[in-house]
Amino acid sequence: MEAPHPSAARARVSHAAARALLAVLYGPRAHGVDHVPRRGPVVLAANHTGYLDGAVVLGTSPRPSHFLVLDRSFTGVAGLLLRASAQIPIDQRRGDRRALGQALAVLGRGGVVGIFPEGGRGRGEVESAGKGVAWLALRSGATVVPTACLGTRATGALAASWPPLRTRIVVDFGPPVPLDLPDGLPGRVRLDTATERVRAALAGHVRAASERHGIPLPADVPPDLLD
């Protein structure tokens, strides 16, 4: 049976709740919010360094969103919160058509989907990227907004660690990535070309935002992910 579409109403509630809670705990700053279209389908493509990245981007975005989150995160209290807030579980070990279908449904109704193209937490430099962002954008016509999330993990901190309270955290939304590709490209070449455009734009935006705001990326992959 096909999974139900993620609830827009739950996303609105979780957006307000995340914004309020983050304001108390950290007071994150959002920059470039005008780059996020107020209407129509949008994919927020964000770098990934720390455990709170999804919540931070969700709470600072000017619009409610549904993030693609690793299915193994949907356990315990965290799992309850993720399901209650209408986030989308994805199995990266094999192509998860159900998750992509749910994301397409969100974009089809003019909503916002969040993705970490790197696939997991690391240094956040976006040296590599999966094809999900480009695939969704090409299929739906969604605007891709490169999103730099800074300050959620310091060098040496574990993958599941939270930054100390009132740590300076910044989310910087960049100019949309142009995906106007030449006509006649084979499907695989078209997807690969769009994927590299997204990766390069996000990597450049993260690097520039890190320098502009004076918040360095972690110098390491989380130590517990290397065990």
Side-chain angles (χ1 to χ4, degrees):
M1 184 172 64
E2 185 176 350
H5 294 170
S7 167
R10 288 187 178 184
R12 288 192 294 271
V13 171
S14 66
H15 179 241
R19 176 164 292 191
L21 183 59
L22 288 168
V24 172
L25 298 178
Y26 297 105
R29 300 286 180 164
H31 297 264
V33 292
D34 289 343
H35 289 137
V36 181
R38 292 299 187 263
R39 295 182 181 82
V42 173
V43 177
L44 301 176
N47 67 317
H48 202 9
T49 64
Y51 182 77
L52 288 185
D53 289 341
V56 167
V57 176
L58 186 150
T60 55
S61 168
R63 294 173 59 185
S65 56
H66 306 263
F67 265 80
L68 289 166
V69 182
L70 291 178
D71 56 354
R72 62 175 178 265
S73 300
F74 284 73
T75 58
V77 175
L80 292 174
L81 291 174
L82 288 169
R83 293 186 188 282
S85 61
Q87 307 311 307
I88 303 172
I90 184 168
D91 182 352
Q92 286 186 322
R93 292 161 294 187
R94 49 183 177 271
D96 195 335
R97 294 185 178 181
R98 185 175 78 162
L100 292 175
Q102 289 185 302
L104 273 180
V106 170
L107 297 173
R109 69 174 185 239
V112 180
V113 169
I115 301 182
F116 298 112
E118 295 164 288
R121 282 161 255 169
R123 296 183 61 186
E125 294 180 316
V126 201
E127 293 181 341
S128 63
K131 299 179 180 180
V133 172
W135 187 86
L136 287 170
L138 293 175
R139 290 290 298 268
S140 67
T143 299
V144 177
V145 177
T147 305
C149 188
L150 306 169
T152 57
R153 187 178 70 83
T155 298
L158 300 181
S161 64
W162 289 44
L165 296 181
R166 309 311 297 180
T167 291
R168 183 168 173 247
I169 293 175
V170 166
V171 177
D172 194 314
F173 301 95
V177 182
L179 291 180
D180 48 335
L181 303 176
D183 294 334
L185 287 179
R188 186 180 295 275
V189 174
R190 187 178 183 82
L191 180 59
D192 288 345
T193 302
T195 296
E196 176 54 22
R197 281 199 188 180
V198 170
R199 187 208 66 77
L202 178 56
H205 177 63
V206 169
R207 184 167 55 251
S210 175
E211 293 175 357
R212 183 166 58 250
H213 299 295
I215 302 177
L217 294 171
D220 62 350
V221 174
D224 49 332
L225 296 185
L226 296 175
D227 295 339

